[in-house]
């Protein structure tokens, strides 16, 4: 049993598990932090961005100035943004049988895998994961395709040149494998390979392995997976949460008794308390708006935004914000808000009960009805005529490299009245802001990451008691910025096995038993295995050596054996004693039978009939195993 | 053979009061707990004394499963759990859990408030009963206890309708509830995987019917409604609040839109809006098309269909009214029917099955003079039309489901005895031979039974564990070969011959002059009398017998002439 680790990003994992002759890919996360190295894609021509100076080497050589631009001491690639794919060379991805998706953030690399590696298997995911995953992909494709950029830089990727570049470009990994965004056509084709599953559904893979998704409590339809045979159990925990937000709570009990527990997708901000962050978010938002400023919230179109809107729903009246317009701008804003209301079965108990009334489970329905929250596909069209300031705008992309958010950064960045509040934990906010420097607007960092922290992990591990824990290497040491915090790492016995990108781990357990069903009758001889190979006629009559004969045990009593021979019509039998046993001579048949304690040797002419008769007589005295 | 016992407490060879007891692997499961629309006395509920005379329901039953929210499948639930007394788990899907209490309350109101029945279950009982419900997801494997597991499949009959697989160890039963194998305007088709249950319990409402295409029926329906409205008549469509009603509403809504019709369409009872809201929130349970387009246009928001007020019934001019309940056995639909029955311009369209004893059933069977309460006789002059819109599988659909699930045996319920007989023959004809479930593979080993544990181990391992020595049986055959050359050369020729013939085996020529094929040893020796003959000694063990005996017969044929 082996684990192939294709991604180095601990919250956007991509691993392949080989287990009992099945090849199972666990998630296919897309590392989008690579886009931080690129210049933002503005919706309308931005004089500031297009006038940034080109970057030249220390010796003044400026041959890269078309590709690289400098902004406030940072260097950016002026090109269509590219993403860092999972390893595609470590294992032949066309041999992957199934892909298990744990949540909609961890499937963003799916089109690269299913469309370009010869993959012919099935993808399993829950319905909300697929629907919201589709929205995220649709948004991404839309953001990138609506501002076509002629330039695609590649010179800087040359290994010899990359060495000369300043950090972080110099240290960027695997730049040669970075790829541009997929198309909607590829997205649709990839999603068509998904088969929908429900929590606790047992899915048989080739009768060898059973996989089961379990609620992980992190997002709508998010799941952990159990991969098990009759005697072995591997748990794959990815992006789980024990906090009560909108999704169904995490199913912990079913993770018990695992031989191996693969643990990924812990919180990226282990020191921040999500509840505190939400409070800070609300108060900063109120403060800015009261002072006449605008608030920009870079976000994904689904997920935490539902919780933020719910908090604001409770907060705005008491904070006197009822006249402030809230805008949600995304090509999939409407779909996301609508979809959130129809997944009753995947929601926490409170929200489920609302549906039974029947009422919409999320209060943003009411915010929309009362016109407090308005949504637009983009800032063109209706939005421009409705737009009132001061206001609060939720829009993507959280990397600040593409999407409508780029426009608002340019528009509001110069005024210190305005605030940008970062709630998504996936991107370093300082790096995200770098190409917009110098900035006058306030920047508040309130990352809300509801995934497990290390205290919760150690409690969980104590509870479910896996024999072995496997996790990304980042979790086996404290974060580099807080190297003294020994509590910010996984602590378990035996110590967790760690993996890094492009590594292959042999998982520490042997398969000892297999469950089988025994039939009273031997099955009919199988027809020639259909391997697709045509066998030659000449070899057709070569016997199948795989027909197994039993082992024999016991010994042959010579006297009785001779009697049996006589009874079966052999005459002229002579018995000689030897050191170890006897020799029985059948003179007429020119046959000699050596009988010893643990062996019998029949030496005869090439007479098959005779040989078989003798054989059957010998076998009568022996036990078969 | 597994022993599975099935006892229908209702809907054995009948429609209504669905309630089936299944005993499987020592577990007892009750499937559905319905009421009978045709009776107003004790017979309307299943006879639970069958169980209670031997003890409490909770002790006997491991769980109760409700397939969908129709009252003939869940109507007796509060009576069963609160009045007879059952405290175990009741499983149903989320939409069923949401809608079921509303229909029960509706049913209670009609029985108690309108008919003045005493000793009926109360609103509180409905609430208490619903507290015992555990909601299940589609395809989720629910572990009821260590041995009993259940799993729901999409049934497509009404919103949230499910088929259930009940499994104990390797024995399993599938209960279909009511299902529909053809997608309609708002729901998808039932689907089950090849789960090969020991027993499939399927409904057979339309056991003998093979219905024409849905499109034809729809066109027919619209044509009839349209004609009646054109001539100024009033059209009554008795429906149940949830289910067919939504499908027909979608149908009429689009038709009105297209034809630009002005006659009003009403939907009785306040339930409509609520019902439509359920459809909106549980849209994942509807069909593909509605799910795909719901963001742009929600099919359950109707422009032309408005709420009905009792006073509207006397308004002049044409109108279409959807009124509950669907079998004209009580409530608003019956009231309107009595008002409109006397006018031949009017029309009543029965879109579904009617249970015996209901007014619906009577008029459908041609009765035109009805005896109502208080010895009143109602003469029916209005046009009576029947349109099978109820979403049950027809004979073709049932056969299809049997084909999908590949059960060992089939049990027909929820239908009429005569029709079942016909379907039984048909199923027996078509599915006489069911293929075996597992692909067997030949495996050699020794089964060790110890402390009621079974282990299959390799023969070597078994001998070792038992402390026995292996007895080796070896054969050596003499094959005479005409060959005047030296032994070494003969061996060489044997080697090259076998090498060319036995491509898939390992053939070796050893330094001592002998030839091996796998573990079979061949040596060439001179003949003691005839120098022109060589003797080949072919030696193999019992375990290699097949190959050994094949080799001797091969060598007996002689070697090909050397190509020198």
């Amino acid at each position: 049993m082996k684990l192939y680790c294709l991604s180095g990003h601990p919250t956007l994992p991509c691993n392949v598990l080989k287990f009992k002759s099945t090849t199972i890919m666990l998630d296919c996360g897309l590392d989008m932090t690579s886009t931080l190295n690129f210049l933002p894609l503005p919706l309308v021509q931005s004089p500031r961005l297009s006038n940034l100076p080109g970057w030249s080497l220390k010796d003044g050589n400026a041959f890269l100035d078309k590709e690289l631009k400098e902004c406030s001491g940072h260097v950016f690639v002026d090109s269509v943004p590219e993403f860092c794919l999972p390893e595609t060379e470590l294992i032949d991805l066309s041999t992957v049988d199934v892909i298990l998706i744990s949540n909609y953030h961890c499937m963003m690399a799916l089109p690269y895998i299913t469309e370009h590696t010869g993959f012919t298997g099935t993808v399993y995911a829950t319905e909300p994961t697929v629907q919201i995953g589709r929205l995220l992909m649709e948004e991404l494709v839309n953001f990138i395709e609506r501002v076509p950029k002629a330039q695609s830089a590649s010179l800087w990727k040359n290994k010899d040149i990359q060495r000369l570049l300043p950090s972080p470009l110099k240290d960027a990994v695997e730049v040669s494998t970075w790829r541009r965004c997929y198309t909607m056509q590829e997205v649709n084709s990839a999603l068509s390979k998904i088969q929908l599953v429900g929590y606790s559904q047992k899915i048989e893979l080739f009768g060898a392995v059973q996989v089961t998704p379990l609620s992980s409590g992190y997002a709508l339809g998010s799941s952990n997976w159990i991969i098990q045979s009759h005697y072995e159990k591997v748990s794959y925990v990815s992006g789980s949460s024990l906090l009560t937000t909108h999704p169904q709570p995490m199913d912990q009990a079913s993770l018990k008794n695992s031989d191996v527990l693969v643990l990924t997708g812990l919180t990226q901000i282990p020191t921040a308390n999500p509840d505190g962050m939400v409070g800070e978010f609300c108060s900063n938002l109120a403060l800015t708006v009261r002072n006449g400023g605008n608030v920009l919230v870079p976000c994904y179109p689904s997920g935490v935004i539902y919780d933020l809107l719910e908090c604001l729903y409770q907060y705005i009246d008491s904070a006197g914000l009822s006249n402030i317009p809230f805008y949600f701008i995304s090509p999939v804003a409407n779909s996301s808000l609508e979809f959130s209301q129809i997944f009753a079965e995947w929601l926490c108990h409170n929200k489920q009960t609302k549906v039974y009334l029947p009422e919409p489970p999320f209060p943003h329905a009411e915010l929309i009805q009362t016109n407090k929250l308005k949504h637009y596909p983009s800032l063109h069209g209706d939005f421009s005529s409705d737009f009132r300031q001061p206001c609060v705008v939720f829009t993507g992309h959280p990397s600040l490299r593409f999407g409508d958010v780029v426009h608002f950064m340019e528009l509001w960045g110069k005024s210190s009245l305005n605030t940008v509040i970062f709630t998504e934990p996936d991107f370093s906010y300082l790096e995200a802001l770098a190409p917009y420097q110098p900035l006058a607007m306030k920047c508040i960092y309130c990352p809300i990451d509801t995934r497990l922290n290390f205290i919760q992990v150690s409690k969980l591990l104590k509870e479910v008691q896996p024999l072995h824990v496997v996790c990304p290497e980042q979790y086996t040491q404290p974060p580099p910025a807080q190297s003294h915090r020994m509590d910010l790492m996984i602590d378990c016995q035996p110590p967790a096995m760690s993996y890094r990108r492009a590594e292959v781990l042999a998982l520490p357990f042997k398969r000892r038993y297999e469950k089988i069903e025994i039939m009273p009758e031997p099955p009919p001889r199988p027809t020639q295995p259909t391997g697709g190979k045509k066998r030659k006629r000449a070899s057709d009559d070569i016997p199948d050596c795989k027909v197994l004969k039993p082992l024999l045990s016991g010994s042959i009593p010579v006297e009785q054996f001779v009697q049996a021979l006589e009874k079966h019509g052999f005459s002229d039998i002579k018995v000689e004693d030897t050191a170890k046993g006897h020799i029985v001579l059948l003179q007429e048949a020119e046959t000699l039978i050596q009988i010893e304690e643990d062996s019998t040797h029949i030496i005869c002419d090439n007479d098959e009939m005779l040989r078989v008769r003798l054989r059957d007589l010998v076998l009568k005295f022996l036990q078969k195993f | 053979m597994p022993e599975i016992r099935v006892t229908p407490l209702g809907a054995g060879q009948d429609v209504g009061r669905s309630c089936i007891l299944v005993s499987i692997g020592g577990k007892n499961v009750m499937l559905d707990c319905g009421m009978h629309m045709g009776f107003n006395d004790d017979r309307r509920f299943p006879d639970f004394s069958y169980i209670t005379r031997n003890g409490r329901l909770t002790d006997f039953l491991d769980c109760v499963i409700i397939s969908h929210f129709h009252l003939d499948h869940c109507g007796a639930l509060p009576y069963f759990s609160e009045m007879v007394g059952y405290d175990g788990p009741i499983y149903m899907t989320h939409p069923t859990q949401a809608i079921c209490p509303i229909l029960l309350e509706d049913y209670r109101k009609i029985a108690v408030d309108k008919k003045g029945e005493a000793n009926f279950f109360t609103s509180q009982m409905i609430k208490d009963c619903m507290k015992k419900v555990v909601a299940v997801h589609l395809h989720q494997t629910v572990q009821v206890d260590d041995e009993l597991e259940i799993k729901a499949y999409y049934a497509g009959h009404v919103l949230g309708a499910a088929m259930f697989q009940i499994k104990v160890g390797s024995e399993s039963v599938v209960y279909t509830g009511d299902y529909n194998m053809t997608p309609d305007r708002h729901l998808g088709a039932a689907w089950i995987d090849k789960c090969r249950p020991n027993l499939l319990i399927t409904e057979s409402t339309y056991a003998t019917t093979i219905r024409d295409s849905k499109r034809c029926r729809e066109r027919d329906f619209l044509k009839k409604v349209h004609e009646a409205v054109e001539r100024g008549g009033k059209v009554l469509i008795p429906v149940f609040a949830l289910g067919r009603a939504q499908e027909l509403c979608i149908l009429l809504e689009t038709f009105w839109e297209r034809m630009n019709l002005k006659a009003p369409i009403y939907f009785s009872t306040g339930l409509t809006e609520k019902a439509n809201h359920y459809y909106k929130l549980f849209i994942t349970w509807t069909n593909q098309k509605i799910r795909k387009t719901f963001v742009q246009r929600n099919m359950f928001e109707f422009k032309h269909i408005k709420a009905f007020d009792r006073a509207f019934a006397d308004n002049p001019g044409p109108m279409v009214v959807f009124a509950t309940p669907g079998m004209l056995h009580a409530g608003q639909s019956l009231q309107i029917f009595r008002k409109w029955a006397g006018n031949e311009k009017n029309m009543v369209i029965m879109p579904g099955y009617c249970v015996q004893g209901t007014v619906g059933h009577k008029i459908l069977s041609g009765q035109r003079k009805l005896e109502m309460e208080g010895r009143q006789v109602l003469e029916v002059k209005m046009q009576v039309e029947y349109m099978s819109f109820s979403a049950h599988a027809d004979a073709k659909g049932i056969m299809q489901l049997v084909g999908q699930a590949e059960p060992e045996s089939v049990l027909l319920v929820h239908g009429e005895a005569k029709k079942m007989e016909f379907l039984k023959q048909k199923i027996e004809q078509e599915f006489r031979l069911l293929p075996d479930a597992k692909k067997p593979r030949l495996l050699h080993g020794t089964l060790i039974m110890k402390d009621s544990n079974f282990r299959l181990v390799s023969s070597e391992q078994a001998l070792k564990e038992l402390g026995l020595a292996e007895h080796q049986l070896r054969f050596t055959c003499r094959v005479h070969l005409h060959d005047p050359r030296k032994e070494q050369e003969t061996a060489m020729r044997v080697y090259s011959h076998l090498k060319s013939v036995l491509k898939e085996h390992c053939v070796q020529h050893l330094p001592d002059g002998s030839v091996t094929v796998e573990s079979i040893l061949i040596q060439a020796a001179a003949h003691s009398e005839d120098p022109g003959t060589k003797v080949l000694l072919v030696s193999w063990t019992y375990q290699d017998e097949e190959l050994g005996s094949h080799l001797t017969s091969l060598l007996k044929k002689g070697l090909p002439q050397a190509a020198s």
Side-chain angles (χ1 to χ4, degrees), chain A residues 200 356 552-553 590 600-602 615, chain B residues 97 278 471-472 474 476 478 545:
Chain A
S200 303
Y356 289 177
L552 305 170
S553 181
E590 288 189 56
T600 302
H601 191 170
I602 300 170
R615 177 196 71 190
Chain B
Q97 189 188 1
Y278 279 117
H471 187 105
Q472 219 189 51
R474 180 167 273 285
T476 300
R478 292 182 292 261
E545 189 173 30

PDB file of all heavy atoms in Angstrom, chain A residues 200 356 552-553 590 600-602 615, chain B residues 97 278 471-472 474 476 478 545:
ATOM      1  N   SER A 200     -22.424   8.587   3.980  1.00  0.00           N
ATOM      2  CA  SER A 200     -22.590   7.207   4.461  1.00  0.00           C
ATOM      3  C   SER A 200     -23.025   6.245   3.371  1.00  0.00           C
ATOM      4  O   SER A 200     -23.490   5.167   3.663  1.00  0.00           O
ATOM      5  CB  SER A 200     -23.608   7.124   5.600  1.00  0.00           C
ATOM      6  OG  SER A 200     -23.226   7.947   6.644  1.00  0.00           O
ATOM      7  N   TYR A 356     -38.358  22.708   7.000  1.00  0.00           N
ATOM      8  CA  TYR A 356     -39.578  21.945   7.256  1.00  0.00           C
ATOM      9  C   TYR A 356     -40.794  22.846   7.465  1.00  0.00           C
ATOM     10  O   TYR A 356     -41.914  22.397   7.407  1.00  0.00           O
ATOM     11  CB  TYR A 356     -39.381  21.054   8.496  1.00  0.00           C
ATOM     12  CG  TYR A 356     -38.444  19.882   8.264  1.00  0.00           C
ATOM     13  CD1 TYR A 356     -38.108  19.027   9.290  1.00  0.00           C
ATOM     14  CD2 TYR A 356     -37.913  19.646   7.005  1.00  0.00           C
ATOM     15  CE1 TYR A 356     -37.244  17.959   9.076  1.00  0.00           C
ATOM     16  CE2 TYR A 356     -37.047  18.589   6.781  1.00  0.00           C
ATOM     17  CZ  TYR A 356     -36.720  17.748   7.819  1.00  0.00           C
ATOM     18  OH  TYR A 356     -35.875  16.694   7.600  1.00  0.00           O
ATOM     19  N   LEU A 552       0.114 -33.668  -0.409  1.00  0.00           N
ATOM     20  CA  LEU A 552      -0.233 -34.970   0.162  1.00  0.00           C
ATOM     21  C   LEU A 552       0.472 -35.152   1.492  1.00  0.00           C
ATOM     22  O   LEU A 552       1.507 -34.553   1.752  1.00  0.00           O
ATOM     23  CB  LEU A 552       0.191 -36.082  -0.797  1.00  0.00           C
ATOM     24  CG  LEU A 552      -0.382 -35.928  -2.210  1.00  0.00           C
ATOM     25  CD1 LEU A 552       0.260 -36.915  -3.155  1.00  0.00           C
ATOM     26  CD2 LEU A 552      -1.895 -36.096  -2.190  1.00  0.00           C
ATOM     27  N   SER A 553      -0.126 -35.986   2.313  1.00  0.00           N
ATOM     28  CA  SER A 553       0.520 -36.277   3.589  1.00  0.00           C
ATOM     29  C   SER A 553       0.123 -37.686   4.018  1.00  0.00           C
ATOM     30  O   SER A 553      -0.874 -38.230   3.558  1.00  0.00           O
ATOM     31  CB  SER A 553       0.087 -35.242   4.631  1.00  0.00           C
ATOM     32  OG  SER A 553       0.716 -35.509   5.856  1.00  0.00           O
ATOM     33  N   GLU A 590       6.927 -53.936 -16.058  1.00  0.00           N
ATOM     34  CA  GLU A 590       8.233 -53.269 -15.995  1.00  0.00           C
ATOM     35  C   GLU A 590       8.147 -51.996 -15.175  1.00  0.00           C
ATOM     36  O   GLU A 590       8.554 -50.925 -15.599  1.00  0.00           O
ATOM     37  CB  GLU A 590       8.749 -52.944 -17.392  1.00  0.00           C
ATOM     38  CG  GLU A 590       9.194 -54.174 -18.148  1.00  0.00           C
ATOM     39  CD  GLU A 590       9.909 -53.791 -19.428  1.00  0.00           C
ATOM     40  OE1 GLU A 590      10.890 -53.029 -19.330  1.00  0.00           O
ATOM     41  OE2 GLU A 590       9.465 -54.230 -20.501  1.00  0.00           O
ATOM     42  N   THR A 600       6.868 -41.328  -2.361  1.00  0.00           N
ATOM     43  CA  THR A 600       6.575 -42.469  -3.208  1.00  0.00           C
ATOM     44  C   THR A 600       7.025 -42.099  -4.614  1.00  0.00           C
ATOM     45  O   THR A 600       6.800 -40.972  -5.059  1.00  0.00           O
ATOM     46  CB  THR A 600       5.060 -42.767  -3.222  1.00  0.00           C
ATOM     47  OG1 THR A 600       4.638 -42.994  -1.887  1.00  0.00           O
ATOM     48  CG2 THR A 600       4.745 -43.971  -4.089  1.00  0.00           C
ATOM     49  N   HIS A 601       7.709 -43.026  -5.277  1.00  0.00           N
ATOM     50  CA  HIS A 601       8.202 -42.727  -6.621  1.00  0.00           C
ATOM     51  C   HIS A 601       7.774 -43.846  -7.550  1.00  0.00           C
ATOM     52  O   HIS A 601       8.103 -44.999  -7.325  1.00  0.00           O
ATOM     53  CB  HIS A 601       9.736 -42.607  -6.573  1.00  0.00           C
ATOM     54  CG  HIS A 601      10.316 -42.037  -7.831  1.00  0.00           C
ATOM     55  ND1 HIS A 601      11.630 -41.662  -7.923  1.00  0.00           N
ATOM     56  CD2 HIS A 601       9.764 -41.769  -9.034  1.00  0.00           C
ATOM     57  CE1 HIS A 601      11.857 -41.197  -9.153  1.00  0.00           C
ATOM     58  NE2 HIS A 601      10.728 -41.250  -9.845  1.00  0.00           N
ATOM     59  N   ILE A 602       6.998 -43.506  -8.551  1.00  0.00           N
ATOM     60  CA  ILE A 602       6.517 -44.516  -9.509  1.00  0.00           C
ATOM     61  C   ILE A 602       7.337 -44.386 -10.782  1.00  0.00           C
ATOM     62  O   ILE A 602       7.362 -43.318 -11.400  1.00  0.00           O
ATOM     63  CB  ILE A 602       5.025 -44.313  -9.811  1.00  0.00           C
ATOM     64  CG1 ILE A 602       4.212 -44.441  -8.523  1.00  0.00           C
ATOM     65  CG2 ILE A 602       4.549 -45.296 -10.880  1.00  0.00           C
ATOM     66  CD1 ILE A 602       2.772 -44.041  -8.653  1.00  0.00           C
ATOM     67  N   ARG A 615      -1.403 -44.305  -9.758  1.00  0.00           N
ATOM     68  CA  ARG A 615      -1.525 -43.049  -9.016  1.00  0.00           C
ATOM     69  C   ARG A 615      -2.745 -43.109  -8.093  1.00  0.00           C
ATOM     70  O   ARG A 615      -2.662 -42.814  -6.904  1.00  0.00           O
ATOM     71  CB  ARG A 615      -1.678 -41.876  -9.991  1.00  0.00           C
ATOM     72  CG  ARG A 615      -1.880 -40.551  -9.284  1.00  0.00           C
ATOM     73  CD  ARG A 615      -2.400 -39.502 -10.219  1.00  0.00           C
ATOM     74  NE  ARG A 615      -3.796 -39.777 -10.584  1.00  0.00           N
ATOM     75  CZ  ARG A 615      -4.442 -39.130 -11.544  1.00  0.00           C
ATOM     76  NH1 ARG A 615      -3.830 -38.202 -12.254  1.00  0.00           N
ATOM     77  NH2 ARG A 615      -5.700 -39.421 -11.809  1.00  0.00           N
TER      78      ARG A 615
ATOM     79  N   GLN B  97     -40.349  13.772   5.648  1.00  0.00           N
ATOM     80  CA  GLN B  97     -40.428  14.232   7.027  1.00  0.00           C
ATOM     81  C   GLN B  97     -41.027  15.636   7.105  1.00  0.00           C
ATOM     82  O   GLN B  97     -41.746  15.967   8.042  1.00  0.00           O
ATOM     83  CB  GLN B  97     -39.041  14.231   7.674  1.00  0.00           C
ATOM     84  CG  GLN B  97     -39.114  14.490   9.173  1.00  0.00           C
ATOM     85  CD  GLN B  97     -37.747  14.697   9.813  1.00  0.00           C
ATOM     86  OE1 GLN B  97     -36.729  14.666   9.141  1.00  0.00           O
ATOM     87  NE2 GLN B  97     -37.733  14.913  11.105  1.00  0.00           N
ATOM     88  N   TYR B 278     -42.346  23.997  -0.634  1.00  0.00           N
ATOM     89  CA  TYR B 278     -41.587  22.772  -0.377  1.00  0.00           C
ATOM     90  C   TYR B 278     -40.869  22.328  -1.639  1.00  0.00           C
ATOM     91  O   TYR B 278     -39.720  21.920  -1.618  1.00  0.00           O
ATOM     92  CB  TYR B 278     -42.508  21.651   0.104  1.00  0.00           C
ATOM     93  CG  TYR B 278     -42.828  21.749   1.576  1.00  0.00           C
ATOM     94  CD1 TYR B 278     -44.122  21.940   2.017  1.00  0.00           C
ATOM     95  CD2 TYR B 278     -41.807  21.651   2.512  1.00  0.00           C
ATOM     96  CE1 TYR B 278     -44.413  22.043   3.365  1.00  0.00           C
ATOM     97  CE2 TYR B 278     -42.078  21.746   3.861  1.00  0.00           C
ATOM     98  CZ  TYR B 278     -43.392  21.939   4.294  1.00  0.00           C
ATOM     99  OH  TYR B 278     -43.651  22.042   5.617  1.00  0.00           O
ATOM    100  N   HIS B 471       4.003 -35.751   2.003  1.00  0.00           N
ATOM    101  CA  HIS B 471       4.374 -36.985   1.323  1.00  0.00           C
ATOM    102  C   HIS B 471       4.534 -36.657  -0.152  1.00  0.00           C
ATOM    103  O   HIS B 471       3.595 -36.212  -0.802  1.00  0.00           O
ATOM    104  CB  HIS B 471       3.274 -38.037   1.512  1.00  0.00           C
ATOM    105  CG  HIS B 471       3.657 -39.374   0.988  1.00  0.00           C
ATOM    106  ND1 HIS B 471       4.008 -40.417   1.815  1.00  0.00           N
ATOM    107  CD2 HIS B 471       3.760 -39.846  -0.281  1.00  0.00           C
ATOM    108  CE1 HIS B 471       4.311 -41.472   1.082  1.00  0.00           C
ATOM    109  NE2 HIS B 471       4.166 -41.154  -0.205  1.00  0.00           N
ATOM    110  N   GLN B 472       5.740 -36.886  -0.671  1.00  0.00           N
ATOM    111  CA  GLN B 472       5.955 -36.527  -2.058  1.00  0.00           C
ATOM    112  C   GLN B 472       5.678 -37.706  -2.967  1.00  0.00           C
ATOM    113  O   GLN B 472       6.212 -38.791  -2.761  1.00  0.00           O
ATOM    114  CB  GLN B 472       7.394 -36.053  -2.232  1.00  0.00           C
ATOM    115  CG  GLN B 472       7.444 -34.893  -3.186  1.00  0.00           C
ATOM    116  CD  GLN B 472       8.855 -34.529  -3.548  1.00  0.00           C
ATOM    117  OE1 GLN B 472       9.654 -35.382  -3.952  1.00  0.00           O
ATOM    118  NE2 GLN B 472       9.149 -33.243  -3.403  1.00  0.00           N
ATOM    119  N   ARG B 474       6.064 -38.965  -6.722  1.00  0.00           N
ATOM    120  CA  ARG B 474       6.805 -38.607  -7.925  1.00  0.00           C
ATOM    121  C   ARG B 474       6.603 -39.682  -8.990  1.00  0.00           C
ATOM    122  O   ARG B 474       6.434 -40.862  -8.671  1.00  0.00           O
ATOM    123  CB  ARG B 474       8.285 -38.469  -7.555  1.00  0.00           C
ATOM    124  CG  ARG B 474       9.222 -38.109  -8.686  1.00  0.00           C
ATOM    125  CD  ARG B 474      10.591 -37.681  -8.188  1.00  0.00           C
ATOM    126  NE  ARG B 474      10.683 -36.271  -7.877  1.00  0.00           N
ATOM    127  CZ  ARG B 474      10.756 -35.306  -8.819  1.00  0.00           C
ATOM    128  NH1 ARG B 474      10.762 -35.610 -10.106  1.00  0.00           N
ATOM    129  NH2 ARG B 474      10.842 -34.046  -8.460  1.00  0.00           N
ATOM    130  N   THR B 476       8.153 -41.202 -12.689  1.00  0.00           N
ATOM    131  CA  THR B 476       9.169 -41.138 -13.734  1.00  0.00           C
ATOM    132  C   THR B 476       8.730 -42.072 -14.858  1.00  0.00           C
ATOM    133  O   THR B 476       8.471 -43.255 -14.633  1.00  0.00           O
ATOM    134  CB  THR B 476      10.543 -41.569 -13.205  1.00  0.00           C
ATOM    135  OG1 THR B 476      10.897 -40.695 -12.142  1.00  0.00           O
ATOM    136  CG2 THR B 476      11.609 -41.487 -14.293  1.00  0.00           C
ATOM    137  N   ARG B 478       9.399 -43.654 -18.733  1.00  0.00           N
ATOM    138  CA  ARG B 478      10.407 -43.901 -19.763  1.00  0.00           C
ATOM    139  C   ARG B 478       9.757 -43.680 -21.118  1.00  0.00           C
ATOM    140  O   ARG B 478       8.741 -44.286 -21.426  1.00  0.00           O
ATOM    141  CB  ARG B 478      10.906 -45.337 -19.672  1.00  0.00           C
ATOM    142  CG  ARG B 478      11.715 -45.617 -18.408  1.00  0.00           C
ATOM    143  CD  ARG B 478      12.223 -47.041 -18.417  1.00  0.00           C
ATOM    144  NE  ARG B 478      11.150 -48.006 -18.288  1.00  0.00           N
ATOM    145  CZ  ARG B 478      10.821 -48.601 -17.115  1.00  0.00           C
ATOM    146  NH1 ARG B 478      11.499 -48.315 -16.024  1.00  0.00           N
ATOM    147  NH2 ARG B 478       9.830 -49.441 -17.058  1.00  0.00           N
ATOM    148  N   GLU B 545       1.383 -32.744 -12.321  1.00  0.00           N
ATOM    149  CA  GLU B 545       0.937 -33.864 -13.131  1.00  0.00           C
ATOM    150  C   GLU B 545       0.471 -33.468 -14.532  1.00  0.00           C
ATOM    151  O   GLU B 545       0.834 -34.095 -15.522  1.00  0.00           O
ATOM    152  CB  GLU B 545      -0.201 -34.595 -12.421  1.00  0.00           C
ATOM    153  CG  GLU B 545      -0.556 -35.891 -13.109  1.00  0.00           C
ATOM    154  CD  GLU B 545      -1.565 -36.677 -12.314  1.00  0.00           C
ATOM    155  OE1 GLU B 545      -2.370 -36.045 -11.613  1.00  0.00           O
ATOM    156  OE2 GLU B 545      -1.540 -37.907 -12.379  1.00  0.00           O
TER     157      GLU B 545
END
